[in-house]
């Protein structure tokens, strides 16, 4: 665009031409009035529209399987609601009208592997990124440029118009995660996949699974089979529990990976270990197996930290877990070990950190691990106390931000919310959005923070309906905090965008909390 006046002229002339061209379904549309969450960094509208039709072909450049997979993913997303069987093809040199093009190009520095740009004209849509991951993130934006009906599972009436213009986008934080506690209540592989599909739309890139706790051990460890045979059979309030075989787990990891979501497995130690202590007597200092536990108290269990055989156990568990973990991280818990003496706790974390390193992984632990001597690539997850993260930063360690009073998905919205807890306070949709990770804890700045994570502890959450109610719509705000720099976020603007996004959550069949603070558009 040369100057403002010529762009106004250009837009108005294009609009007029479009209005007169009655044979075309292109219509004047404004890209800036679309409700995209998280909000893209740069949006430049050109005032017209592209129509997705049965004839649209999705072309990908470069013959890699990953590129093809990305293109197929897009075709499949668009299929149920449009009933179009869009062709997916390797691109020829010349672009042709009506099509979508996916390219790998050299975008500006700073766009990284998740950055992307979308160029939409009346004739074509072009997505550019440095990496297929960026194309995948861009596809999530493209989905949100189509009418909400695109998310319906049955055929909807068109036309399928997309506003023209350009979008350039990349994330603020590299780590944008959620955590699900599958120990207090077990969730089936199919349910995890359903959740992963919902998370992908918001460009979430990490799913941390809390795989063990006092109430249940959820991952098969072949060298210690009783962990799941005994420790896997309980959950809070006496349900039947369950666990993932290593095969099922790998299938979940792959499913997430196809959506560019990394699974971070957590084995919580040395506290929160009653399920393991009930499965193997020798893990207890007194050599006596504990009773299985289905209550919700915390802080009463501990591994026997000064016994060498404990480290044989930890080594086997981490070795087997690392072998089925393509991602860089293993989470070792480390929270609320109230019955472990402090020197024993420190000794334990130091030894476990060495084991994680030996198997080629980076250790993440809840903030209490900052009391130990951390390697500089270990990560401390802040949740409650502000001294621990400062201790960690002083050791050169990066912080993952999960402040309970802002981002715990198990906290009620208000006093009437069912289910949920409230020990960290109520978290309404505005409070969930109105904070900046980089200015929350004194002594911790932007450069110390790897990203944010929203945990859902499941003492009171028993099924997908309850999960969705606690997660949505707060997760949309967390996704935005992770993706968009603080200076580009504004609650008053966001609540309107979220209000328009409600239709899309409805179309996706999500059971979300309709906060009174948001003007939902039906
Ligand atoms: C504290 S947060 C815990 C969990 C509970 C949660 C309930 C953290 C590291 N530990 O064991 O499930 O509160 O909100």
């Amino acid at each position: 665009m040369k100057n403002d006046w010529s762009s106004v002229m250009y837009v108005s002339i294009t609009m007029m031409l479009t209005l007169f061209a009655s044979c075309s379904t292109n219509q004047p549309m404004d890209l800036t009035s679309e409700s995209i969450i998280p909000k893209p960094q740069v949006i430049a509208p050109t005032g017209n529209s592209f129509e997705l039709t049965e004839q649209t072909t999705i072309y990908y450049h470069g013959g890699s399987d990953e590129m093809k997979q990305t293109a197929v993913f897009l075709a499949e997303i668009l299929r149920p609601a449009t009933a179009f069987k869009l062709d997916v093809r390797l691109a020829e040199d010349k672009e042709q009208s009506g099509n979508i093009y996916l390219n790998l190009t050299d975008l500006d520095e700073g766009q990284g592997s998740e950055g992307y740009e979308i160029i939409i004209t009346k004739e074509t849509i072009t997505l550019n990124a440095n990496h297929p991951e960026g194309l995948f993130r861009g596809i999530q934006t493209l989905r949100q440029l189509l009418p909400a009906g695109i998310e319906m599972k049955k055929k909807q009436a068109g036309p399928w118009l997309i506003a023209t213009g350009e979008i350039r986008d990349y994330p603020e934080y590299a780590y944008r995660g959620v955590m699900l506690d599958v120990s207090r209540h077990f969730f089936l592989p199919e349910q995890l996949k359903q959740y992963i599909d919902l998370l992908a739309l918001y460009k979430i890139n990490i799913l941390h699974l809390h795989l063990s706790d006092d109430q249940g051990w959820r991952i098969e460890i072949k060298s210690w089979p009783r962990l799941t045979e005994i420790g896997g059979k309980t959950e809070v309030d006496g349900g039947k529990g369950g666990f993932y075989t290593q095969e099922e787990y790998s299938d979940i990891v792959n499913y997430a990976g196809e959506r560019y979501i990394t699974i971070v497995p957590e084995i919580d130690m040395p506290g929160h270990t009653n399920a393991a202590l009930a499965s193997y007597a020798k893990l207890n200092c007194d050599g006596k197996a504990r009773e299985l536990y289905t209550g919700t108290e915390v802080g009463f269990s501990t591994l026997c930290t000064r016994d060498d055989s404990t480290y044989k156990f930890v080594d086997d568990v981490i070795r087997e877990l690392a072998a089925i973990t393509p991602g860089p991280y293993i989470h070792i818990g480390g929270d609320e070990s109230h019955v472990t003496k402090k020197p024993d706790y420190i000794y334990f974390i130091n030894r476990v950190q060495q084991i994680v390193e030996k198997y080629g992984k980076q250790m993440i632990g809840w903030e209490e691990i900052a009391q130990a001597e951390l390697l500089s690539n270990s990560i401390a997850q802040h949740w409650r106390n502000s001294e621990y993260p400062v201790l960690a930063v002083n050791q050169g360690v990066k912080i993952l931000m999960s402040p309970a009073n802002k981002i715990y998905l198990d906290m009620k919205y208000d006093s009437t919310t069912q289910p949920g807890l409230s020990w960290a306070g109520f978290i309404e949709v505005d409070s969930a959005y109105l904070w900046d990770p980089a200015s929350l804890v004194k002594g911790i700045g932007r450069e110390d923070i790897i990203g944010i994570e929203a945990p859902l502890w499941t003492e009171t959450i028993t099924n997908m309906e309850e999960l969705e109610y606690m997660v949505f719509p707060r997760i949309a705000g967390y996704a935005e905090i992770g993706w968009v720099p603080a200076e580009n976020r504004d609650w008053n603007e966001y609540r309107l965008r979220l209000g328009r996004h409600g239709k899309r959550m409805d179309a996706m069949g999500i059971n979300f909390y309709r906060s009174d603070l948001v003007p939902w558009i039906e």
Side-chain angles (χ1 to χ4, degrees):
M1 295 282 161
K2 278 158 244 118
N3 57 45
D4 285 356
W5 177 242
S6 70
S7 57
V8 169
M9 286 296 289
Y10 172 78
V11 170
S12 9
I13 290 168
T14 342
M15 283 180 174
M16 276 156 59
L17 286 176
T18 319
L19 285 174
F20 287 125
S22 55
C23 58
S24 159
T25 34
N26 290 104
Q27 284 172 23
M29 282 177 75
D30 179 6
L31 189 61
T32 53
S33 63
E34 300 298 338
S35 304
I36 310 160
I37 299 179
K39 185 179 173 180
Q41 309 277 2
V42 181
I43 303 181
T46 50
N48 212 295
S49 59
F50 169 94
E51 185 181 6
L52 180 80
T53 71
E54 220 164 347
Q55 277 76 47
T56 301
T57 298
I58 301 172
Y59 284 101
Y60 59 96
H61 272 281
S64 80
D65 285 353
E66 205 178 346
M67 282 299 284
K68 184 170 180 188
Q69 241 181 49
T70 310
V72 167
F73 182 91
L74 175 57
E76 283 174 0
I77 284 283
L78 300 175
R79 188 160 170 179
T82 60
F84 300 159
K85 293 179 192 146
L86 302 184
D87 270 344
V88 170
R89 289 201 205 133
L90 192 58
E92 298 135 23
D93 285 343
K94 228 175 76 208
E95 298 206 344
Q96 278 168 350
S97 196
N99 298 326
I100 300 176
Y101 292 85
L102 307 182
N103 304 317
L104 290 185
T105 45
D106 282 331
L107 295 183
D108 296 350
E109 288 255 343
Q111 299 244 22
S113 64
E114 295 193 276
Y116 67 90
E117 62 182 26
I118 311 180
I119 301 157
I120 306 152
T121 69
K122 274 190 311 183
E123 288 80 29
T124 58
I125 295 183
T126 308
L127 259 120
N128 296 322
N130 292 325
H131 190 276
E133 185 179 6
L135 294 174
F136 187 85
R137 304 293 176 229
I139 285 170
Q140 308 314 317
T141 301
L142 195 55
R143 276 169 85 174
Q144 298 188 46
L145 294 176
L146 282 156
I150 197 68
E151 302 298 342
M152 303 282 280
K153 300 211 169 55
K154 282 211 203 92
K155 188 178 173 186
Q156 307 295 306
W160 301 102
L161 299 176
I162 299 178
T164 60
E166 298 193 12
I167 291 179
R168 250 178 306 284
D169 201 13
Y170 52 91
E172 172 70 6
Y173 289 100
Y175 188 122
R176 305 176 308 279
V178 301
M179 187 214 80
L180 180 63
D181 169 6
V182 292
S183 176
R184 271 57 175 271
H185 280 102
F186 184 61
F187 285 80
L188 294 164
E190 283 315 302
Q191 297 175 312
L192 293 190
K193 289 182 180 177
Q194 219 180 307
Y195 192 25
I196 287 166
D197 279 339
L198 301 179
L199 296 171
L201 180 67
Y202 301 97
K203 305 187 174 82
I204 298 291
N205 64 359
I206 299 273
L207 171 59
H208 162 187
L209 293 175
H210 184 76
L211 291 168
S212 72
D213 211 303
D214 293 317
Q215 298 87 346
W217 186 284
R218 307 297 179 211
I219 180 73
E220 174 191 23
I221 301 294
K222 293 183 198 281
S223 52
W224 295 73
R226 295 215 301 267
L227 291 170
T228 44
E229 284 165 15
I230 296 172
K233 293 231 164 91
T234 44
E235 60 184 11
V236 165
D237 289 341
K240 69 179 174 21
F243 69 93
Y244 311 116
T245 64
Q246 292 196 0
E247 211 178 5
E248 286 169 330
Y249 185 80
S250 293
D251 180 53
I252 295 161
V253 167
N254 290 337
Y255 188 88
E258 284 164 9
R259 285 145 188 82
Y260 297 93
I261 293 177
T262 300
I263 302 284
V264 175
E266 176 185 353
I267 299 297
D268 202 349
M269 309 178 275
H272 288 280
T273 41
N274 191 77
L277 299 172
S279 306
Y280 287 96
K282 63 181 168 192
L283 293 176
N284 297 276
C285 281
D286 62 8
K288 290 187 194 135
R290 297 295 180 263
E291 293 287 312
L292 288 165
Y293 182 69
T294 59
T296 59
E297 294 296 312
V298 297
F300 60 87
S301 54
T302 184
L303 290 171
C304 193
T305 54
R306 296 286 175 171
D307 183 346
D308 272 346
S309 67
T310 294
Y311 297 94
K312 168 76 177 123
F313 166 76
V314 175
D315 193 286
D316 285 339
V317 169
I318 302 289
R319 174 176 47 78
E320 289 196 34
L321 204 53
I324 52 173
T325 299
Y329 308 116
I330 288 200
H331 200 305
I332 60 96
D335 58 315
E336 300 176 314
S337 284
H338 301 325
V339 295
T340 319
K341 292 199 184 82
K342 185 170 168 180
D344 295 349
Y345 176 83
I346 291 171
Y347 175 79
F348 179 84
I349 300 296
N350 286 342
R351 272 190 81 166
V352 171
Q353 179 173 246
Q354 280 170 10
I355 295 171
V356 172
E357 193 197 19
K358 180 172 89 181
Y359 291 112
K361 299 296 174 187
Q362 259 174 280
M363 182 177 86
I364 309 184
W366 297 104
E367 65 195 4
E368 290 95 320
I369 63 163
Q371 299 168 94
E373 279 167 53
L374 299 179
L375 293 169
S376 61
N377 73 348
S378 290
I379 293 166
Q381 183 166 11
H382 168 54
W383 64 282
R384 182 178 208 173
N385 170 314
S386 46
E387 282 156 34
Y388 290 138
V390 173
L391 259 183
V393 163
N394 291 344
Q395 298 192 53
V397 159
K398 293 265 183 284
I399 306 298
L400 175 58
M401 294 294 279
S402 301
N405 61 351
K406 283 290 173 191
I407 202 170
Y408 266 28
L409 290 164
D410 58 322
M411 292 302 123
K412 293 173 184 277
Y413 295 96
D414 64 26
S415 63
T416 67
T417 308
Q418 274 311 332
L421 302 175
S422 57
W423 66 262
F426 301 126
I427 309 180
E428 245 299 353
V429 179
D430 58 346
S431 166
Y433 187 82
L434 282 164
W435 62 286
D436 171 18
S439 59
L440 194 74
V441 179
K442 202 164 161 266
I444 297 185
R446 171 66 188 88
E447 65 287 358
D448 303 316
I449 298 171
I450 181 169
I452 68 170
E453 188 179 279
L456 181 64
W457 301 98
T458 58
E459 287 95 332
T460 64
I461 319 295
T462 64
N463 57 40
M464 283 308 278
E465 211 185 322
E466 291 169 350
L467 175 149
E468 287 173 10
Y469 189 72
M470 299 308 280
V471 170
F472 295 89
R474 287 183 291 202
I475 191 65
Y478 299 140
E480 185 144 310
I481 293 174
W483 188 277
V484 181
E487 63 273 19
N488 294 352
R489 286 190 270 112
D490 169 32
W491 162 250
N492 284 316
E493 181 274 329
Y494 173 71
R495 58 190 276 276
L496 304 178
R497 195 154 29 93
L498 182 60
R500 293 189 296 263
H501 182 76
K503 261 203 263 182
R504 200 166 296 268
M505 290 190 286
D506 272 333
M508 293 172 86
I510 297 173
N511 175 41
F512 66 98
Y513 165 62
R514 286 171 196 273
S515 168
D516 287 342
L517 304 176
V518 178
W520 302 106
I521 310 264
E522 290 309 321

